[in-house]
Amino acid sequence: MALLKNPQILIASDLRDGEALFLGADGWARDHKSAAVARDSQEAAALEARGKGEIAANRVVDVYLADVGLEADGSPTPLHYREKMRIKGPSVRPDLGKQARAAQSGDAK
C-alpha cells in the first residue's frame, strides 16, 4: 500500500445529462464534497474498479481519478483547473447544471 502524493476522488459524467458526478460511499453524488477520498494506491484502485463497473452498467462515462486537497472538515477540493470548473457546472450554459440550481436556491457565488 503506497500513499498517494495527493488524495484522489473519482469523477465521471452522467450519461443522462452530462453533469459531473463524484463517487461517494453510497454511489454517485453531484456534490464533490460527498466524494469518497482515496489516500493510498489500494483505495484508488478500489474506486477505479467501482467506476469501471458503472461504465459497464452504462450509468457514466469519462471516469478518472483527480487529485484533491482536503479542507479542515475533511471535504475534498480539486487541485486542478479542469476539476475546479467541473464542480461549478457547464461554463457555456449558466442556465443549466449546478450553477442554475445554485442561482434558483440563492446559493450563487
Side-chain angles (χ1 to χ4, degrees), residues 1-8 37-44 67:
M1 168 175 64
L3 288 178
L4 300 171
K5 179 178 177 185
N6 295 302
Q8 296 181 320
V37 177
R39 291 176 174 79
D40 61 48
S41 57
Q42 192 173 14
E43 291 174 344
D67 290 343

Side-chain angles (χ1 to χ4, degrees), residues 10-105:
L10 195 70
I11 299 176
S13 295
D14 190 328
L15 271 176
R16 294 172 291 173
D17 58 14
E19 194 166 324
L21 299 176
F22 308 90
L23 186 60
D26 298 324
W28 296 104
R30 294 185 186 274
D31 184 353
H32 68 285
K33 294 179 180 176
S34 299
V37 177
R39 291 176 174 79
D40 61 48
S41 57
Q42 192 173 14
E43 291 174 344
L47 288 178
E48 283 187 310
R50 287 179 62 196
K52 288 178 182 175
E54 294 293 301
I55 291 171
N58 291 322
R59 294 187 186 102
V60 295
V61 294
D62 192 25
V63 175
Y64 64 97
L65 290 166
D67 290 343
V68 294
L70 298 176
E71 299 292 330
D73 65 358
S75 63
T77 301
L79 294 178
H80 301 287
Y81 183 75
R82 179 181 185 208
E83 288 75 35
K84 288 179 181 179
M85 293 302 292
R86 292 192 77 192
I87 66 171
K88 293 181 179 178
S91 59
V92 295
R93 292 283 310 265
D95 58 321
L96 300 174
K98 294 172 175 69
Q99 69 265 16
R101 286 192 298 277
Q104 290 173 352
S105 69

